[in-house]
Amino acid sequence: MSYPTTTPPPPTPAFLKISFPAPRVLLVRMDRPSALNAMSTAAQWEMDSIWKWLDDEPNLSVAIITGTGRAFSAGADLKEWNNSMADDADPSKRMGNSPAFKPLSRRLGKKPVIAAVNGLAMGGGCEFVVNCDIVVAAEDAVFGLPEVKRGVAPIGGALPRLIRTVGLQRATEFTLMGEPISAQKAFEWGIVNKVVKKEQVVDEAVRYAAAIAKNSPDAIICTRAGLRQGWETAAVERAVEITMEREFAELQKGENILEGLKAFSEKREPVWKGSRL
């Protein structure tokens, strides 16, 4: 099978299905509908390999993550987690312990990921959403961090990120009560960019992704880095300095900045090359 990429994607036999719905756009579909796309450890390893490939693949600029069936993702596979807590199980392999990968909920990465939330986004699935760069949600999508009701905690990265998006009081209400919220409330709180009909959710995410992917691959990475640095760094001016010292310095060494400026002067569409960043 041929792919519109310089390298084939890593194998994803257990959990993910991938496709390419627009130029430079990767669509990743969580495909375990019978378990509401709950994530086992094997599933998390597949995700980890796909995001690393995305960042390294010069012919891709942006990804979309969605789910098959009525759920986006119900989060961690609690049956596997329960089995890992058995007396005869290896404590180092317990699902709650941090493995060698970082899940999407803690991913830093270089390239943006858009969440197309087609249904339930609970636990780890909701934590994924909080860390995505753009979020499109179906009208009937539901978001929740019910971990406190199960005796665990949402430690997959959402807590500090959620505070930066919705504020301390709303984040406290959401996480300590453990009650779900609607797509409309998530939109009002700033977690969701747009709410659409269920059958439109992936198409709308592709529209966002395609619009982003038309731009300079270097500029996409540099701009996202500046946004993320501002989200994660307390001092605003220091965040600017870090981005200028790192990504913007590299951007200026590449061909795309020259092509973009030349194309503007010549009143034509630019022809981008793969990013050097």
Side-chain angles (χ1 to χ4, degrees):
M1 181 178 180
S2 62
Y3 296 95
T5 54
T6 61
T7 57
T12 55
F15 189 58
L16 301 178
K17 305 293 183 186
I18 69 167
S19 58
F20 304 90
R24 306 188 67 83
V25 175
L26 170 68
L27 175 61
V28 179
R29 184 179 295 276
M30 296 178 282
D31 192 46
R32 195 187 176 198
S34 62
L36 301 180
N37 300 321
M39 292 164 289
S40 64
T41 300
Q44 291 278 28
W45 277 112
E46 286 190 14
M47 296 272 273
D48 182 68
S49 66
I50 284 291
W51 305 133
K52 288 176 179 175
W53 177 68
L54 167 71
D55 280 341
D56 290 339
E57 173 50 54
N59 283 359
L60 294 174
S61 290
V62 58
I64 299 165
I65 179 78
T66 193
T68 299
R70 69 186 185 91
F72 176 74
S73 175
D77 187 327
L78 295 185
K79 291 182 179 178
E80 180 183 320
W81 199 336
N82 181 56
N83 292 337
S84 75
M85 298 296 289
D87 291 340
D88 58 350
D90 183 350
S92 68
K93 295 182 179 179
R94 285 178 178 169
M95 197 170 183
N97 290 340
S98 179
F101 60 78
K102 283 189 177 181
L104 178 57
S105 56
R106 293 181 61 200
R107 173 185 177 262
L108 301 177
K110 295 193 300 185
K111 299 176 184 178
V113 176
I114 298 172
V117 186
N118 55 294
L120 293 170
M122 307 297 285
C126 184
E127 292 200 83
F128 283 0
V129 170
V130 170
N131 195 34
C132 280
D133 299 277
I134 291 175
V135 182
V136 180
E139 291 174 328
D140 62 349
V142 176
F143 302 81
L145 292 171
E147 281 86 345
V148 291
K149 295 178 179 289
R150 303 290 182 262
V152 293
I155 44 75
L159 297 178
R161 290 172 171 86
L162 195 61
I163 287 175
R164 284 160 171 75
T165 300
V166 308
L168 176 61
Q169 286 73 23
R170 283 174 170 169
T172 301
E173 172 188 341
F174 188 42
T175 58
L176 292 190
M177 292 179 67
E179 297 295 334
I181 62 173
S182 67
Q184 184 58 38
K185 178 167 279 191
F187 172 76
E188 293 168 1
W189 282 6
I191 299 171
V192 168
N193 292 77
K194 192 169 185 179
V195 179
V196 298
K197 295 185 182 299
K198 190 179 186 73
E199 60 271 18
Q200 297 173 346
V201 69
V202 172
D203 288 343
E204 187 64 18
V206 171
R207 187 186 70 80
Y208 273 105
I212 292 170
K214 288 180 180 178
N215 298 316
S216 161
D218 290 310
I220 292 169
I221 292 172
C222 181
T223 302
R224 180 184 182 273
L227 292 168
R228 288 279 168 155
Q229 198 60 245
W231 198 32
E232 296 163 6
T233 305
V236 173
E237 186 58 27
R238 181 56 186 148
V240 175
E241 291 171 352
I242 291 170
T243 305
M244 291 185 69
E245 292 165 2
R246 296 177 184 175
E247 289 81 10
F248 191 65
E250 289 301 312
L251 178 149
Q252 294 186 85
K253 299 174 185 176
E255 296 179 77
N256 284 325
I257 186 171
L258 300 176
E259 170 63 11
L261 295 172
K262 185 177 180 181
F264 176 80
S265 299
E266 296 175 354
K267 298 181 179 180
R268 62 172 174 81
E269 291 296 315
V271 179
W272 306 119
K273 295 185 181 297
S275 174
R276 65 171 284 112
L277 276 70

